[in-house]
Amino acid sequence: MKYFFLTITIVIQLILVITLQLLDGFETIIGIFIICLLIGALLYFLKSEKLLYFKNFGFGLFYGSLISLVSVIAFMTWLSYNFPI
């Protein structure tokens, strides 16, 4: 179940960035992903073992946001080197 949340988080965040055309506002992307990272970390690291659903959701949100953040930064770096202004 946690890998389901991981996949859903990655897909939703990347679709959100593309459809809202946030690639121009890099600070907005960083802000969204850092907020999701913090919420995911709180759910994943601070919840007890009794609430496994929240722990799985926190895992997916934390690591999905981390993967999305790294992929967007890598894409922006690639764009800046291959298509300079």
Side-chain angles (χ1 to χ4, degrees):
M1 192 67 171
K2 62 183 173 181
Y3 294 109
F4 171 74
F5 287 127
L6 175 77
T7 307
I8 292 297
T9 301
I10 293 170
V11 169
I12 287 175
Q13 286 183 346
L14 293 178
I15 288 175
L16 179 76
V17 167
I18 292 169
T19 57
L20 295 178
Q21 298 175 352
L22 294 176
L23 290 176
D24 295 333
F26 193 64
E27 296 84 16
T28 308
I29 295 171
I30 298 294
I32 290 171
F33 289 161
I34 287 177
I35 289 171
C36 289
L37 277 168
L38 291 175
I39 293 170
L42 286 173
L43 288 174
Y44 184 59
F45 294 117
L46 297 180
K47 287 292 178 184
S48 67
E49 293 295 327
K50 294 178 184 176
L51 299 173
L52 190 61
Y53 181 79
F54 286 122
K55 191 167 180 75
N56 289 340
F57 181 68
F59 173 86
L61 190 60
F62 179 73
Y63 288 109
S65 297
L66 193 63
I67 291 170
S68 295
L69 179 65
V70 169
S71 64
V72 166
I73 289 174
F75 180 69
M76 295 295 285
T77 304
W78 178 81
L79 276 178
S80 68
Y81 281 119
N82 290 321
F83 301 103
I85 295 176

